[in-house]
């Protein structure tokens, strides 16, 4: 379950993210779960931020692949002919919208809402899932709740300009079980 920052700041666009490699399951098909709060964050950023383009692209893929409620969509484009680069990830990777139940009241903070929804998914599935984020604060809170977390490193294009003080980078990927 990636947070909105993964879709905005990861070096690759949504269809080109190898989620299985990031969660230490290379070559395995994965199911990416998207809580509505992530869609809402992307929708807001698409309208009024410098992340407008990436947010819009991600929402376009979600809209196309998740057109029918309660269904999974394809995360990967079908392999075409010609000179297209080899696809990343597994061809059976899917993406699914986790609908809010009727009467659901969201947490005040998006991070808290994502963590709460991830805990619900774990209960439904009866197994651990992995929350993927660039956000150290969210990672710490999620781990405190018992979630397995993959903390991605700050992408190179996010480094401050030369001469500016930099804060410590989000360490390497970490996973707890």
């Amino acid at each position: 379950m990636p947070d909105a920052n993964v879709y905005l700041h990861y070096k690759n666009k949504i269809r080109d993210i190898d989620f299985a490699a990031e969660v230490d399951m290379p070559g395995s098909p994965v199911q990416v779960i998207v809580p509505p709060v992530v869609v809402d964050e992307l929708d807001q950023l698409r309208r009024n931020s410098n992340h407008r383009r990436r947010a819009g692209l991600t929402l376009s893929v979600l809209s196309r692949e998740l057109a029918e409620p309660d269904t999974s969509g394809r995360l990967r484009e079908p392999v075409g002919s010609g000179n297209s680069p080899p696809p990343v990830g597994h061809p059976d990777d899917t993406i699914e919208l986790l609908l809010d139940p009727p009467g659901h009241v969201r947490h005040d903070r998006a991070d808290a809402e994502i963590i709460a929804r991830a805990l619900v998914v774990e209960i439904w599935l009866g197994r651990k899932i992995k929350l993927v984020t660039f956000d150290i604060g969210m990672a710490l809170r999620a781990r405190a709740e018992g979630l397995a977390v993959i903390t991605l490193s700050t992408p190179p294009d996010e480094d401050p300009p030369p001469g500016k003080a930099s804060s410590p980078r989000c360490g390497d990927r970490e996973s707890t079980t």
Side-chain angles (χ1 to χ4, degrees):
M1 181 180 289
D3 70 357
N5 285 316
V6 172
Y7 300 114
L8 296 174
H9 301 294
Y10 194 81
K11 62 187 172 192
N12 299 331
K13 297 173 188 166
I14 182 172
R15 289 210 193 260
D16 298 324
I17 299 173
D18 188 351
F19 286 103
E22 289 297 347
V23 298
D24 296 322
M25 297 172 41
S28 300
V30 296
Q31 179 180 22
V32 175
I33 300 169
V34 182
V37 68
V38 169
V39 175
D40 293 344
E41 285 183 301
L42 292 168
D43 222 3
Q44 183 179 15
L45 291 166
R46 177 184 57 132
R47 288 200 258 315
N48 56 9
S49 82
N50 57 348
H51 301 292
R52 163 178 306 131
R53 191 165 193 212
R54 185 61 85 86
L57 171 75
T58 302
L59 288 167
S60 174
V61 170
L62 294 177
S63 177
R64 190 173 326 116
E65 295 301 328
L66 302 174
E68 298 295 323
D70 296 329
T71 61
S72 292
R74 287 187 334 261
L75 190 56
R76 307 284 163 235
E77 291 279 10
V79 178
S81 58
N83 296 330
S84 58
V88 299
H90 194 281
D92 295 330
D93 287 350
T94 59
I95 192 158
E96 184 173 341
L97 179 65
L98 174 66
L99 297 171
D100 288 336
H104 175 72
V105 177
R106 288 187 182 174
H107 291 260
D108 292 339
R109 292 179 49 124
D111 288 358
E113 178 67 14
I114 293 167
I115 291 167
R117 302 303 285 150
L119 290 167
V120 167
V121 170
E122 284 191 344
I123 292 168
W124 285 343
L125 295 177
R127 64 180 170 82
K128 293 295 243 177
I129 67 167
K130 294 184 180 181
L131 186 98
V132 183
T133 185
F134 282 108
D135 185 341
I136 290 292
M138 179 180 198
L140 293 172
R141 288 188 292 280
R143 283 190 201 110
E145 294 293 332
L147 289 170
V149 179
I150 302 295
T151 307
L152 301 175
S153 297
T154 304
D157 64 336
E158 296 291 314
D159 285 343
K164 298 263 181 173
S166 66
S167 57
R169 298 186 102 184
C170 296
D172 291 324
R173 137 182 357 126
E174 298 175 31
S175 177
T176 60
T177 54

